[in-house]
Amino acid sequence: MLCLSVLALACSMGSQNQPSETKPSMPAIIPRPVELELQSGTFSIKDSTAILIQSRDPQAKAVGEYLASWLRQRTGFKLPVRKLTNNADSKGHFLLATAGRHLEGGNEAYHLTISPERVGVFAPRAKGLFYAVQTIRQLLPPELESARAAAVAKTKKPLHLPCLRITDNPRYRWRGLLLDCGRHFMSKEFIKRTIDLLAYHKMNVLHWHLTEDQGWRIEIKKYPKLTELGAWRKATRDSEQPRENGLYGGFYSQDDIKEIVAYAKSRFIEVIPEIEMPGHSGGALAAYPELSCTGGPFEVSTRWGVHKDVYCAGDDKTFEFLQDVLTEVIELFPAPFIHIGGDECPKDRWKACEKCQARIKAEGLANEHELQSYFIRRIEKFLSSKGRRLIGWDEILEGGLAPQATVQSWRGLKGAVAAAKAGHDVISSPTSHCYLDYPHSKDDPGYPNWMGVTSLEQIYSFEPTPSELSPEQAKHILGAECNMWTEHAPQDLVDKQVFPRLCALAEVTWSPQKARDWKDFSARMKTHYRRLKSLGVTYYRPPPPPPRAKQP
Ligand code: ACM
Ligand code: ZN
């Protein structure tokens, strides 16, 4: 049975991957490259093919090894990776070069030339070489993405790449996905797979939401109760029976985090940790209730929504705790940004808290909104002293923005406009276009009524840069991010929410605005769905139409 299916796979790949005399069809690359000129002929990847490196960038060799390993698994060829010693010997091989080339489009650009003689990739940096490799994968049959393809390797059949020239670079420097591991813990393997899928779509930011009312997920050595108590709740949610052992959750050890961050680096992805404050802090407060206004006690929450118990802004203990936590976080995450949340912080407890009121008085603040602003400014000062930049949700605009803060605009793009006009950097993530917890279609069952629909076409139509910004202000829009909140999607359901919508955001953030073409994207997606299937992605498919009523 297995042999037969492997044979069938080999045949199906073989038939699509022959050198062809007929006019080659336009490759269905997602995200669409800036310029693609298809030519006639093919380059054959054979047992004699090598991967030659010409670069001083230490990561270039690693990219060569990454390409070699991917191809070896699918061909059984040796594909040695070696330094180019002289220009003459690149015939018949891949040449990955960063040396001596200047390309427009910044550090992520690449130039790919495939001729019958060689595959040449030129890029300012190894990152561009890596993106060219993702493009090369998409020039091969979709079925090759399957892990089963490894079994076909024994056939040792050449693979054929179409001859072409591609010049490519991203529109935005920030192309992200938020993954909420607070509502549901997800395995280390799942996070690595997510990183691979982001890289495949030339995305470069994993925004890792690590702390929530429903769970604290990151080991902090100085505060062990955060993960002993704060990482576990009694049941998945309050409407369900408690677990037999009374525990649901999990956390990432500092070693797990180092492993994931290193893995992400090898895929040119920055991991931005989010440590929520002052709200969404129930996981921490269950472990250390003395950091709240009332003193608790609290349980790790089993219900969704906004919670009233938050860190006390009047008590210096809160800041001491958060600075200690951030000190360990900074050690683990090399990215220049740390996300501190800042969203959905009800002011009820602060209004009734003597310490918070005393702080308002002592600091000459007008109200609790200014107290939130005080909170964020104080944390920003600390992060700046450690050489890091603060990002927060657009609520951090209320009561006055911290001087260097970057704003992630989620309640529409009003926050994006206000922040960019005030000279602050922005990430655009409005609910209307970027919320992947929302249904794909109004016909999808099982979603709360308040959620809007975020269809594939809606995301594809997204413009991250608001039109009211001047060209100078528009430079503050770093890019966009789609948000995978997981109240209604534990790990097993994440694929269905994220895909294929991530493919649309990848194109929105990578490809030139003028190249946006829904019909063309939809046509390319037909091929891309086959790739996703081969990658084992359980993407969303519209529910079948209801059966027609019988004719009387
Ligand atoms: C958010 O959705 N609360 C940022
Ligand atoms: Zn207080």
Side-chain angles (χ1 to χ4, degrees):
M1 188 61 196
L2 178 70
C3 291
L4 270 182
S5 61
V6 166
L7 193 65
L9 180 65
C11 290
S12 77
M13 289 191 303
S15 62
Q16 293 149 28
N17 198 38
Q18 294 299 325
S20 157
E21 296 307 317
T22 55
K23 197 169 176 294
S25 56
M26 202 53 140
I29 298 168
I30 290 185
R32 180 178 163 145
V34 174
E35 281 174 32
L36 190 165
E37 184 196 323
L38 193 61
Q39 295 164 342
S40 58
T42 55
F43 173 86
S44 299
I45 304 167
K46 302 188 272 214
D47 206 14
S48 56
T49 307
I51 296 173
L52 307 173
I53 311 293
Q54 186 180 37
S55 175
R56 287 205 199 101
D57 188 330
Q59 284 181 288
K61 177 110 192 295
V63 174
E65 290 292 354
Y66 169 92
L67 172 62
S69 152
W70 193 90
L71 285 171
R72 278 179 204 134
Q73 284 170 34
R74 282 143 182 95
T75 60
F77 299 149
K78 294 186 284 299
L79 290 146
V81 181
R82 52 175 193 258
K83 273 202 156 160
L84 179 78
T85 43
N86 71 58
N87 279 335
D89 74 356
S90 70
K91 198 165 175 203
H93 304 306
F94 286 85
L95 172 60
L96 309 189
T98 63
R101 294 267 165 172
H102 179 74
L103 285 185
E104 279 187 15
N107 286 343
E108 299 183 292
Y110 70 91
H111 193 103
L112 170 64
T113 307
I114 304 177
S115 68
E117 284 76 39
R118 67 181 60 75
V119 177
V121 185
F122 303 99
R125 305 288 293 271
K127 195 170 188 183
L129 300 179
F130 182 78
Y131 291 140
V133 170
Q134 305 314 318
T135 296
I136 289 168
R137 283 170 66 180
Q138 295 196 6
L139 295 170
L140 289 163
E143 287 67 28
L144 277 183
E145 291 299 339
S146 157
R148 277 201 305 150
V152 183
K154 293 189 186 76
T155 61
K156 288 213 170 192
K157 281 205 180 137
L159 295 175
H160 305 285
L161 290 166
C163 291
L164 47 68
R165 294 165 67 88
I166 289 178
T167 306
D168 207 5
N169 62 268
R171 180 177 173 203
Y172 291 103
R173 82 169 256 339
W174 190 292
R175 307 178 297 279
L177 169 73
L178 173 147
L179 189 60
D180 169 11
C181 294
R183 270 52 178 255
H184 292 284
F185 176 75
M186 296 175 205
S187 72
K188 199 165 59 176
E189 290 63 40
F190 186 81
I191 308 294
K192 287 186 179 172
R193 173 183 179 274
T194 302
I195 286 168
D196 277 326
L197 289 168
L198 285 173
Y200 186 56
H201 292 87
K202 302 189 176 82
M203 295 183 72
N204 62 359
V205 172
L206 174 65
H207 171 170
W208 201 5
H209 189 77
L210 283 167
T211 69
E212 255 309 335
D213 294 312
Q214 295 81 11
W216 181 282
R217 307 283 174 228
I218 168 171
E219 179 190 22
I220 300 295
K221 305 260 191 212
K222 192 159 182 184
Y223 298 97
K225 283 194 282 183
L226 285 172
T227 43
E228 284 164 16
L229 301 175
W232 309 96
R233 60 184 192 253
K234 279 198 298 214
T236 55
R237 55 180 308 176
D238 54 1
S239 55
E240 282 166 17
Q241 287 295 320
R243 299 264 149 162
E244 219 164 84
N245 63 1
L247 291 175
Y248 176 77
F251 67 92
Y252 306 97
S253 70
Q254 294 206 350
D255 283 344
D256 290 337
I257 301 224
K258 285 180 198 154
E259 188 181 324
I260 285 169
V261 169
Y263 191 81
K265 182 164 182 248
S266 74
R267 305 302 189 252
F268 297 89
I269 287 187
E270 266 180 356
V271 186
I272 311 291
E274 182 176 355
I275 307 296
E276 274 266 23
M277 62 189 80
H280 289 284
S281 43
L285 299 184
Y288 296 98
E290 62 272 27
L291 302 174
S292 71
C293 291
T294 65
F298 308 105
E299 287 189 337
V300 180
S301 181
T302 52
R303 67 189 167 81
W304 314 131
V306 174
H307 292 42
K308 286 190 177 155
D309 287 294
V310 303
Y311 291 119
C312 177
D315 195 334
D316 279 339
K317 273 207 305 275
T318 296
F319 294 96
E320 200 182 301
F321 166 82
L322 287 171
Q323 290 179 9
D324 288 343
V325 166
L326 290 172
T327 299
E328 293 193 32
V329 168
I330 285 166
E331 283 292 311
L332 292 167
F333 292 91
F337 291 94
I338 305 286
H339 204 303
I340 54 77
D343 58 321
E344 299 180 321
C345 178
K347 307 296 186 287
D348 308 56
R349 299 292 181 258
W350 290 358
K351 280 187 182 149
C353 171
E354 266 176 34
K355 285 183 194 156
C356 286
Q357 292 305 314
R359 175 85 75 198
I360 287 177
K361 218 161 162 199
E363 296 291 331
L365 306 171
N367 53 32
E368 288 72 24
H369 291 296
E370 288 196 8
L371 182 58
Q372 157 127 353
S373 171
Y374 163 88
F375 196 115
I376 305 297
R377 282 170 197 261
R378 192 161 161 178
I379 294 294
E380 187 194 49
K381 210 162 161 194
F382 175 75
L383 287 176
S384 294
S385 76
K386 301 274 182 186
R388 300 304 174 95
R389 294 177 61 187
L390 176 146
I391 308 181
W393 299 105
D394 57 55
E395 283 92 332
I396 68 170
L397 281 152
E398 293 160 12
L401 196 51
Q404 307 295 326
T406 295
V407 173
Q408 185 161 12
S409 192
W410 71 282
R411 298 174 301 175
L413 286 179
K414 288 187 311 291
V417 172
K421 285 194 170 171
H424 290 257
D425 284 345
V426 169
I427 296 143
S428 296
S429 294
T431 51
S432 55
H433 293 79
C434 293
Y435 269 46
L436 302 185
D437 50 334
Y438 288 15
H440 298 252
S441 146
K442 66 177 178 26
D443 301 324
D444 293 345
Y447 290 85
N449 287 335
W450 57 263
M451 283 184 172
V453 169
T454 321
S455 68
L456 185 63
E457 188 166 2
Q458 171 82 348
I459 296 189
Y460 194 72
S461 72
F462 179 42
E463 178 45 45
T465 302
S467 56
E468 51 267 63
L469 297 182
S470 70
E472 211 39 49
Q473 292 161 347
K475 288 185 188 153
H476 286 295
I477 309 294
L478 302 184
E481 213 176 88
C482 42
N483 296 342
M484 183 61 247
W485 300 110
T486 59
E487 285 93 333
H488 305 283
Q491 179 176 304
D492 288 354
L493 296 180
V494 167
D495 269 13
K496 182 176 138 296
Q497 296 301 122
V498 170
F499 291 97
R501 294 186 285 193
L502 183 97
C503 312
L505 195 88
E507 187 143 318
V508 164
T509 50
W510 178 281
S511 308
Q513 188 188 14
K514 64 177 174 3
R516 209 90 69 75
D517 180 333
W518 168 246
K519 265 199 178 150
D520 178 69
F521 174 75
S522 306
R524 279 179 286 125
M525 278 305 291
K526 288 198 176 123
T527 305
H528 204 67
Y529 283 121
R530 286 166 53 206
R531 297 183 187 124
L532 294 179
K533 183 163 180 256
S534 298
L535 285 161
V537 174
T538 49
Y539 57 87
Y540 168 83
R541 293 159 205 246
R548 285 221 213 134
K550 279 205 182 116
Q551 295 289 332

